[in-house]
Amino acid sequence: MNPLIITRQLGKLLLVLSGSILLIAIWSCIQIFLGREAEFAAFQSLSLTVLIGGLTGGSMWMASRHMKKTVGRREAILLVALSWFVGAALAALPFRFWATFAGTDNADHQFSSFAGCYFEAMSGLTTTGATVLTDIESIPGSLLLWRSLTHWFGGLGIVVLFVAVLPMLGVGGKRLFRVESAGPKPEGVTPRIQEAARALWYVYLGLTLLETVALRIAGMTWFEAINHAFATLATGGFSTMNASAGGYRSVSVDIIITVFMVAAGVNFGLYYQLLHRRWKTVLQ
């Protein structure tokens, strides 16, 4: 067991998540300039999380950047497990910091305890869909977007994400993929693990874009459509409304979400085979 290998890859994971939170912080800043004062506390919480995640992840990566060995079987299994725990810890910080900056620490709010925030983040990343919130609509939009994004990341696995985005995992990448991926064996998609992971994410992203546009046409705002597309493709179910998708009272919205729920439940490796017209493989 080589702890430096684990440290390096967890550092990369934290950097990826921090970068994602940074994008949402930028969106939150734009909302503040548009007059949404409720976003100010959310922007502070997101920015502080980016700082903590970036410094922690960067330090972990720098401390082990010269490690050249690939990920072995033991490291791969441990890394998959730790990725959920460490990833959820960082993902929970925006919720917890928001409770502090918004002055809800002394109130009976679900995010006033780190346990509740950690539960929400872990539920998102594992696409479980359970929530501690009783009034979802009272949460700032940027935090709801981050909440939905944790769902989306968890859809194919945060481990597969950084296998696809960050290179140089070598043979260890294949081991990680086998342990974490919800799809077929790597050789069932493409012979190279990074290409396989990218192929699955391209399919995932394509379906997400399709559902987002469909929900927008059905009457949702872009914000609502993106959030519900993230939740649907992850087969998790987070919503921006207390009544969930039923709150829209729209048959077209129900049909679209149902269709993409079924589509998201299919092995994404089959979509890759369909794109390459390998009908026999799909039927088998």
Side-chain angles (χ1 to χ4, degrees), residues 215-232:
L215 290 175
R216 179 67 183 90
I217 295 174
M220 286 188 179
T221 65
W222 283 115
F223 174 77
E224 294 169 335
I226 291 172
N227 276 273
H228 285 85
F230 283 168
T232 304

Side-chain angles (χ1 to χ4, degrees), residues 45-266:
S45 65
L46 291 165
S47 300
L48 183 55
T49 302
V50 171
L51 180 62
I52 293 175
L55 290 176
T56 304
S59 298
M60 293 171 67
W61 180 79
M62 289 293 292
S64 55
R65 68 186 185 282
H66 297 305
M67 177 57 59
K68 299 298 182 183
K69 293 183 179 180
T70 56
V71 180
R73 183 177 298 273
R74 292 181 179 180
E75 287 88 353
I77 295 175
L78 179 59
L79 182 55
V80 169
L82 289 179
S83 294
W84 298 113
F85 286 105
V86 174
L90 181 66
L93 291 183
F95 305 138
R96 185 63 191 89
F97 290 149
W98 171 79
T100 299
F101 294 134
T104 61
D105 270 342
N106 298 324
D108 188 21
H109 194 279
Q110 293 77 23
F111 284 165
S112 61
S113 71
F114 184 76
C117 300
Y118 193 82
F119 181 97
E120 199 76 9
M122 183 66 80
S123 177
L125 289 175
T126 56
T127 68
T128 304
T131 181
V132 298
L133 295 174
T134 56
D135 186 7
I136 297 172
E137 296 173 26
S138 67
I139 305 298
S142 56
L143 291 186
L144 291 179
L145 183 58
W146 170 239
R147 179 172 172 263
S148 298
L149 189 58
T150 60
H151 247 9
W152 195 73
F153 281 158
L156 280 183
I158 51 177
V159 175
V160 176
L161 172 67
F162 74 82
V163 168
V165 175
L166 302 172
M168 300 170 61
L169 279 179
V171 178
K174 190 171 184 178
R175 291 197 177 98
L176 279 174
F177 192 91
R178 283 176 171 165
V179 173
E180 174 55 28
S181 176
K185 293 181 179 179
E187 55 268 26
V189 182
T190 61
R192 293 175 57 85
I193 180 61
Q194 292 178 19
E195 294 176 6
R198 288 193 185 98
L200 294 181
W201 271 105
Y202 289 151
V203 173
Y204 194 58
L205 178 60
L207 290 174
T208 303
L209 292 175
L210 282 175
E211 185 182 1
T212 299
V213 173
L215 290 175
R216 179 67 183 90
I217 295 174
M220 286 188 179
T221 65
W222 283 115
F223 174 77
E224 294 169 335
I226 291 172
N227 276 273
H228 285 85
F230 283 168
T232 304
L233 267 296
T235 64
F238 279 168
S239 177
T240 57
M241 298 185 65
N242 294 331
S244 192
Y248 293 95
R249 300 184 181 275
S250 170
V251 175
S252 57
V253 167
D254 291 344
I255 292 176
I256 291 170
I257 290 180
T258 301
V259 168
F260 280 92
M261 282 170 61
V262 175
V266 174

